[in-house]
């Protein structure tokens, strides 16, 4: 069996695929890559199934050695890539010879770099057909650490592509499209106008569970309701005044009011934005059903 | 069995719909009906007074998700709740779970339920509890019983680590912690029973299942 041998990791390195949808009724959240677009791009370059597991590398700083020649792609936040100290290409397939050291330097202008490998990664700990590590519940493989040996899979569909993708660049200011709901009438007109006009910033205690936003001081305190299930992207407004945009590892249920849901297309960008990034909302009314 | 108040359907982002239910029997009946009919790609996630209908698989594009939700909401609007068969205990599985009643809050819970600790143990382990819904963490079921109608207060200060298998009370619910977690429930005992199998089938219990606790020493 072919493996990647992990020599060194940065602050956080996780195996992620596209998660395990359909299990919220068991209390199991979606999980999966928080910048799904970048993982899918890497898998496409390599001819993998779009959901093949790769490494989600927070802030770079990864070093590994394959025990057989492997084709890899580095996507997401840009970082310097070297193979045995020789610069290698970002965003396009790169062949790493057996025993060579692949090194990802510090990420720039984004938080999360994705390393995909032809065939995908299949470490121990898969649950319900997914290799994603759910940081909130501990379901899935353990966090990737130095000396781990990660087996490679056979999750390919096509020959690798001759192509290149640009890095995922965190915007200087992010506008999140948000659909109001599930109870838009609970939002006071003052709060509604705050959401339209105010600008907030990403707080440093943000993670794969949720991105916390400071600066939107909502005044309305809707009546407490029993906990209920929440979809990906739900924006919770706890009494502390911050807003929490829920990402892949969010709890399946929550008891604080939810004011809206951020468009899935904007969550990939949000997951790349460092703390301090200014954020605005583009608010839309709920769809008619 | 179910109420005659209608459901309130609320759009919840572009990929989900929240059904507010008037009471628990309606929620149980609606959940059972939704589980028994074909709504491909739509997750059914009940909670105390709502059922979330969520197209959580992000590989399904937004317009397909909206189509599925529009179809489902039309069906729900036409649905006469009074004709839904009540979800009965026999529609779920029965699980027997051994409990050692050695929890640190056993006497507190007994006092709040106005029983002796011995009476609490006999009562808790007598007849089956019903799984209402799951949430909070993988495999955590909220359990009720018709004769449990007093509220148990949460602890003023939550414990930072409640051990795996702890059996506790909060509000009108009983529950078993499938793994260690911070929490404010009052603990009456613990079980070795695996409530969530990460190596296999996931959650032991599903909504409308029943759980009988059995006292062991």
């Amino acid at each position: 069996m072919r493996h990647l041998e992990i020599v060194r990791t940065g602050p956080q390195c996780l195996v992620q695929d596209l998660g395990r949808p359909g299990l919220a009724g068991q209390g199991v959240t979606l999980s999966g890559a928080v910048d799904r677009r970048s993982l899918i791009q890497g898998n496409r370059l390599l001819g993998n199934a779009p959901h093949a597991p790769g490494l989600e590398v927070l802030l770079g700083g990864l070093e590994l050695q394959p025990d057989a020649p492997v084709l890899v792609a580095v996507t997401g936040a840009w970082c310097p890539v070297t193979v045995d100290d020789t610069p290698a290409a970002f965003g396009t397939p790169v062949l790493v010879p057996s025993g060579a050291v692949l090194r990802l330097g510090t990420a720039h202008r984004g938080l999360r770099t994705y390393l995909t490998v032809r065939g995908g990664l299949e470490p121990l700990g898969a649950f319900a057909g997914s290799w994603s590590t759910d940081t909130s519940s501990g379901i899935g493989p353990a966090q990737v650490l130095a000396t781990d040996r990660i087996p490679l899979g056979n999750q390919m569909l096509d020959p690798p592509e001759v192509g290149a993708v640009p890095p995922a660049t965190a915007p200087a200011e992010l506008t999140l499209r948000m659909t109001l709901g599930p109870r838009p009438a609970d939002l006071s007109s003052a709060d509604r106008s705050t959401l339209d006009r105010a600008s907030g910033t990403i707080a440093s205690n943000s993670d794969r569970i949720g991105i916390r936003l400071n600066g939107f001081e909502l005044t309305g305190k809707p009546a407490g309701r029993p906990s209920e299930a929440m979809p990906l992207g739900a924006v919770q407004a706890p009494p502390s005044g911050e807003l929490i945009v829920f990402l892949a590892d969010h709890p399946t249920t929550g008891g604080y009011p939810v004011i809206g849901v951020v468009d899935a297309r904007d969550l990939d960008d949000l997951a790349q934005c460092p703390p301090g990034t200014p954020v605005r909302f583009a608010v839309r009314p709920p769809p008619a059903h | 069995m179910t109420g005659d108040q209608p459901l309130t359907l609320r759009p919840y982002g572009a990929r989900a719909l929240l059904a507010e239910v008037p009471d628990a029997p309606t929620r149980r009946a609606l959940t059972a009906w939704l589980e028994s009919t074909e709504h491909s790609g739509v997750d059914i996630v009940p909670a105390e007074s709502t059922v979330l209908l969520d197209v959580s698989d992000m590989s399904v594009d937004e317009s397909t998700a909206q189509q599925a939700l529009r179809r489902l909401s039309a069906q729900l609007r036409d649905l006469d709740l009074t004709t839904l068969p009540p979800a009965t205990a026999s529609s779920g599985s029965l699980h027997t779970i051994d409990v050692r009643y050695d929890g640190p809050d056993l006497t507190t819970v007994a006092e709040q339920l106005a029983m002796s600790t011995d009476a609490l143990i006999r009562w808790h382990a007598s007849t089956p509890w019903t799984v209402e819904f799951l949430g909070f963490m993988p495999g955590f079921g909220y359990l009720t019983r018709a004769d449990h109608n007093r509220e148990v207060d949460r602890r003023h200060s939550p414990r930072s680590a409640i051990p795996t298998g702890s059996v506790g009370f909060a509000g009108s619910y009983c529950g078993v912690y499938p793994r260690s977690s911070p929490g404010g429930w009052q603990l009456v005992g613990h079980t070795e029973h695996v409530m969530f199998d990460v190596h296999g089938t996931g959650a032991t219990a599903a909504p409308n299942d029943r759980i009988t606790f059995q006292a062991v020493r």
Side-chain angles (χ1 to χ4, degrees):
Chain A
M1 198 185 269
R2 301 169 307 144
H3 296 84
L4 295 186
E5 187 142 331
I6 306 297
V7 179
R8 194 170 70 89
T9 67
Q12 186 188 55
C13 179
L14 302 170
V15 177
Q16 294 295 344
D17 53 24
L18 296 182
R20 39 184 82 83
L23 302 178
Q26 291 193 25
V28 177
T29 198
L30 177 63
S31 196
V34 282
D35 175 0
R36 299 169 59 90
R37 181 175 49 213
S38 295
L39 179 76
I40 292 170
Q41 284 174 338
N43 279 328
R44 188 168 294 145
L45 287 169
L46 298 172
N48 286 345
H51 53 74
L55 293 180
E56 182 176 276
V57 182
L58 181 67
L59 298 171
L62 177 71
E63 248 178 69
L64 56 82
Q65 269 181 309
D67 63 5
V70 293
L71 197 62
V72 305
V74 184
T75 56
W78 188 87
C79 66
V81 181
T82 59
V83 175
D84 277 345
D85 295 326
T86 304
F90 186 98
T92 193
V94 169
L95 185 70
V96 183
S98 177
V101 176
L102 172 71
R103 185 175 292 132
L104 308 188
T106 303
H108 288 271
R109 297 200 293 150
L111 295 181
R112 290 175 170 97
T113 303
Y114 289 84
L115 176 80
T116 43
V117 182
R118 170 107 174 132
L121 304 175
E122 296 187 355
L124 287 177
F127 175 73
S130 165
W131 279 266
S132 287
T133 299
D134 172 1
T135 58
S136 66
S137 75
I139 287 177
Q143 178 170 343
V144 176
L145 298 172
T147 74
D148 285 357
R149 293 182 80 236
I150 306 177
L152 304 189
N154 287 298
Q155 302 187 30
M156 50 277 248
L157 296 176
D158 299 302
E161 281 184 8
V162 181
V165 295
T169 302
E173 189 194 54
L174 183 62
T175 299
L176 297 174
R177 286 165 284 191
M178 176 170 68
T179 305
L180 293 180
R183 299 180 183 88
D186 284 359
L187 209 56
S188 70
S189 57
D191 285 348
R192 174 66 213 267
S193 122
T194 300
L195 290 173
D196 279 333
R197 293 188 196 143
S199 172
T201 52
I202 295 178
S204 57
N205 55 345
S206 299
D207 54 23
R208 286 179 43 87
I209 294 173
I211 301 291
R212 289 163 190 265
L213 303 175
N214 292 327
F216 298 95
E217 297 300 328
L218 303 188
T219 55
K221 294 279 176 279
R225 286 199 167 78
S227 292
E228 57 193 30
M230 303 181 294
L232 181 71
V235 183
Q236 201 179 54
S240 58
E242 66 189 352
L243 298 180
I244 306 171
V245 184
F246 280 119
L247 297 187
D249 290 352
H250 73 84
T252 55
T253 55
Y256 293 123
V258 169
I259 58 168
V261 180
V262 170
D263 197 301
R265 291 168 294 178
D266 295 337
L267 296 178
D268 294 329
D269 288 337
L270 181 60
Q272 291 292 0
C273 288
T277 304
V279 174
R280 289 178 168 280
F281 287 107
V283 178
R284 325 186 271 202
H289 280 294
Chain B
M1 275 305 289
T2 56
D4 49 11
Q5 284 170 275
L7 297 175
T8 307
L9 295 177
R10 301 186 177 277
Y12 199 154
R15 312 177 59 91
L17 199 58
L18 189 70
E20 284 180 356
V21 294
D23 50 39
T26 307
R27 185 238 303 136
R28 291 179 204 127
L30 179 66
T31 303
W33 179 80
L34 287 163
E35 298 284 2
S36 68
T37 45
E38 178 57 30
H39 307 293
S40 165
V42 184
D43 298 352
I44 314 298
V45 196
E48 184 168 303
S49 56
T50 54
V51 180
L52 181 70
L53 311 165
D54 182 16
V55 184
S56 68
D57 183 348
M58 304 304 284
S59 65
V60 177
D61 66 49
E62 195 175 299
S63 68
T64 308
Q66 297 248 343
Q67 243 172 29
L69 293 173
R70 269 197 299 272
R71 207 163 38 233
L72 185 49
S73 70
Q75 277 178 288
L76 288 172
R77 275 180 231 287
D78 289 345
L79 190 66
D80 181 356
L81 292 176
T82 58
T83 64
L84 280 184
T88 57
S90 59
S91 58
S93 317
L94 177 66
H95 312 273
T96 301
I97 290 178
D98 286 347
V99 178
R100 199 175 298 273
Y101 288 92
D102 57 0
D105 307 317
L106 186 64
T107 48
T108 310
V109 175
E111 276 166 26
Q112 293 198 15
L113 296 180
M115 298 182 205
S116 68
T117 55
D118 283 348
L120 169 63
I121 293 167
R122 277 196 305 275
W123 169 78
H124 187 253
S126 56
T127 56
W129 293 75
T130 300
V131 181
E132 298 287 348
F133 47 87
L134 284 81
F136 169 53
M137 69 164 80
F140 190 99
Y142 290 78
L143 313 180
T144 62
R145 215 167 79 182
D147 64 350
H148 175 40
N149 40 29
R150 286 183 188 235
E151 300 267 316
V152 173
D153 298 335
R154 276 163 202 273
R155 286 173 56 83
H156 285 302
S157 170
R159 290 189 170 90
S160 57
I162 286 184
T164 299
S166 295
V167 179
F169 279 84
S172 55
Y173 296 106
C174 175
V176 182
Y177 282 77
R179 56 174 273 153
S180 179
S181 147
W185 288 43
Q186 307 266 13
L187 309 180
V188 297
H190 80 274
T191 179
E192 305 293 325
H193 202 95
V194 174
M195 301 305 292
F196 190 90
D197 179 7
V198 289
H199 305 296
T201 51
T204 298
N208 292 333
D209 279 4
R210 287 165 303 150
I211 292 181
T212 300
F213 294 103
Q214 192 164 277
V216 294
R217 297 198 177 275

